[in-house]
Amino acid sequence: MVRTGQKARVWGQWRTVRRVRGDQYAAGGPAVVLEFDDGPVLRVHAAEPLAVRTGECSG
């Protein structure tokens, strides 16, 4: 489950999620739409695994 404020690994980079909303594919399958602080919106199948982290990592 992805939440606003978390970072998701997409397009080879960690991007901050600004908005998450549910959607449906034309065929009726569930989708999740992610809006980021920069870059395009990403629409993925609701069951698609994503790398997500919360907060800043140090090191």
Side-chain angles (χ1 to χ4, degrees):
M1 179 183 217
V2 182
R3 295 185 187 118
T4 299
Q6 291 181 316
K7 293 186 182 280
R9 181 107 176 135
V10 294
W11 307 299
Q13 297 179 326
W14 289 102
R15 299 193 183 236
T16 302
V17 178
R18 293 293 173 211
R19 185 172 179 218
V20 180
R21 62 183 169 90
D23 200 2
Q24 292 284 321
Y25 284 104
V32 175
V33 178
L34 304 173
E35 295 179 26
F36 301 99
D37 57 349
D38 61 341
V41 171
L42 176 65
R43 185 178 186 197
V44 296
H45 190 278
E48 184 72 26
L50 290 173
V52 177
R53 68 181 184 196
T54 302
E56 294 297 319
C57 294
S58 59

